[in-house]
Amino acid sequence: MKVLLTSILCQSGLMTHVHDLLQYLRRHSLPAAVAFLKSNYATPEEAAALKARLEGVEIWEYEEDRELVEIAEAAQCDLLHAHSYLTFNAVRDASRALGLPSIITLHSVYIWGLAYGEALAQAERIIAVGPAQARFLGPWRRKTVIIPNGIDLEIFKPGMDGEGGKGREITVLWYGRVNGRLNRGIKSLDEMAPQLPSFVEIKAVGQADLQLKNIAQVGWAEDPVEELQASHITFAHGRSLREAMACGSIGMLIGHGYGGMVTRERLAELNYAVDALPQYHLPRPRPEVLLQDILRVVNSGELAELRAEARSIAEEFFDLEVMGRRTLDVYAAALS
């Protein structure tokens, strides 16, 4: 079996997902290639760096949907797997032209049937990265499976710090790349920041389309691992939250809504989703609640234990190996 993944080059969780899935397939000696639709979502320098990270992977690029038919044929693939919605229709056409089964992964929330009904109908299987992404699928819900994003736990892992913040500054982090309504959480954190004790440092690593008044903003980090390892508490959602917890940072679910500290019980309630999208109807993040939750953790006397628990949760729920195995099951079903 050889699979051809399709996406765009961009600095986002979408690209990280594609990268990690390709690396998983390589580690398990499963042939795979990737075809990127040329777009303006990354500068030429950023695109080159993203491709360089895929060293050893067979990479194709195309501009017109019709070109994907020739690429799939030349790559001698057995299966097509579309990630970016900008490639859904090209995969639909290549699947029809070559008689190849196709899979679509839904990374965002949208009324998919309105724009991509034919692509969804053509696909043998559909993967959604969370319950919200799987909504509004209508007749295609029956062939959909929810597979949350996985994290490479060999890359995102705790550092050598075993003190848990005892006797020194506590670092609180907001981490991610958000815009629009998802900015609600970081706005509330920024409003709350001046009320923190002097020994609690707060900063933002990532990008949001607003100017912060009270929180130092580092910007997007190509390699955020050291920042995450040094963080005692991280406010984030989605892949960012998974990465932080895998590095041993206590995870606080925030975005459009606020879900508080991530626990095993909370994950069961949310069907393993760690997204704070509007569709999950989480409470509005209020500065006074955020402050109380930070102080509760800081004063608990259990900072080291809670950080270890965050890593343990990541190992149980967020492992790339689990995502990879479940994705291979979908491939097998599509090819059967």
Side-chain angles (χ1 to χ4, degrees), residues 2-326:
K2 182 178 181 182
V3 59
L4 176 67
L5 277 62
T6 66
S7 189
I8 58 171
L9 290 163
C10 56
Q11 289 187 311
S12 71
L14 168 64
M15 184 64 205
T16 307
H17 179 105
V18 170
H19 172 275
D20 288 354
L21 181 55
L22 285 165
Q23 297 306 320
Y24 173 87
L25 294 172
R26 287 189 68 200
R27 281 204 298 268
H28 291 269
S29 302
L30 296 166
V34 59
F36 292 113
L37 171 65
K38 292 182 179 180
S39 69
N40 296 320
Y41 287 92
T43 67
E45 294 76 18
E46 290 169 343
L50 290 168
K51 287 185 287 186
R53 292 183 60 216
L54 294 172
E55 182 180 2
V57 174
E58 181 183 340
I59 297 175
W60 303 79
E61 292 187 81
Y62 68 99
E63 294 182 349
E64 303 291 337
D65 285 358
R66 55 181 173 76
E67 297 174 56
L68 190 63
V69 176
E70 298 175 4
I71 290 172
E73 197 166 28
Q76 297 183 317
C77 63
D78 305 296
L79 180 65
L80 300 166
H81 186 177
H83 287 270
S84 169
Y85 65 87
L86 296 173
T87 70
F88 286 1
N89 289 339
V91 166
R92 173 202 64 196
D93 295 343
S95 174
R96 288 173 175 172
L98 301 175
L100 296 174
S102 64
I103 293 167
I104 284 177
T105 289
L106 306 176
H107 289 271
S108 54
V109 179
Y110 189 65
I111 304 178
W112 296 108
L114 290 178
Y116 300 104
E118 288 189 27
L120 295 169
Q122 180 70 24
E124 289 291 328
R125 294 290 187 276
I126 299 167
I127 298 172
V129 299
Q133 288 82 354
R135 292 180 182 177
F136 310 119
L137 281 174
W140 306 294
R141 187 67 178 85
R142 58 180 173 75
K143 58 181 178 182
T144 301
V145 60
I146 296 173
I147 305 179
N149 284 315
I151 300 300
D152 191 331
L153 298 179
E154 293 301 313
I155 295 176
F156 294 96
K157 58 186 178 182
M160 302 303 292
D161 173 17
E163 294 299 310
K166 193 174 181 179
R168 58 186 177 83
E169 274 196 343
I170 305 297
T171 299
V172 176
L173 203 65
W174 175 87
Y175 171 52
R177 190 183 183 101
V178 301
N179 54 43
R181 291 185 292 173
L182 290 178
N183 278 336
R184 178 186 281 183
I186 192 172
K187 286 179 181 177
S188 296
L189 280 171
D190 193 45
E191 184 179 340
M192 174 276 302
Q195 303 175 59
L196 288 170
S198 59
F199 63 89
V200 178
E201 176 193 20
I202 185 168
K203 61 181 175 178
V205 173
Q207 292 181 353
D209 59 353
L210 78 163
Q211 292 294 319
L212 302 178
K213 296 179 180 179
N214 304 306
I215 299 178
Q217 195 165 0
V218 175
W220 184 253
E222 289 297 330
D223 184 0
V225 172
E226 287 190 10
E227 291 277 12
L228 298 176
Q229 290 173 338
S231 170
H232 302 91
I233 304 168
T234 297
F235 287 81
H237 93 127
R239 174 176 289 275
S240 299
L241 187 57
R242 293 178 174 91
E243 291 174 352
M245 293 180 66
C247 289
S249 187
I250 300 163
M252 310 294 274
L253 175 59
I254 198 166
H256 179 266
Y258 179 57
M261 185 189 301
V262 177
T263 63
R264 285 178 169 81
E265 294 75 21
R266 190 66 172 141
L267 285 174
E269 180 183 339
L270 294 175
N271 194 21
Y272 307 117
V274 286
D275 295 319
L277 301 167
Q279 289 77 12
Y280 291 109
H281 305 294
L282 296 171
R284 186 183 185 93
R286 303 203 320 266
E288 61 272 20
V289 174
L290 303 180
L291 178 62
Q292 289 171 5
D293 285 355
I294 291 173
L295 295 179
R296 186 178 297 112
V297 172
V298 168
N299 296 324
S300 68
E302 300 177 348
L303 207 56
E305 293 82 358
L306 291 172
R307 295 181 77 185
E309 176 69 2
R311 171 65 184 188
S312 178
I313 290 172
E315 291 173 344
E316 182 176 347
F317 294 98
F318 307 152
D319 192 353
L320 175 61
E321 290 294 315
V322 175
M323 184 194 86
R325 286 195 300 271
R326 294 189 64 194

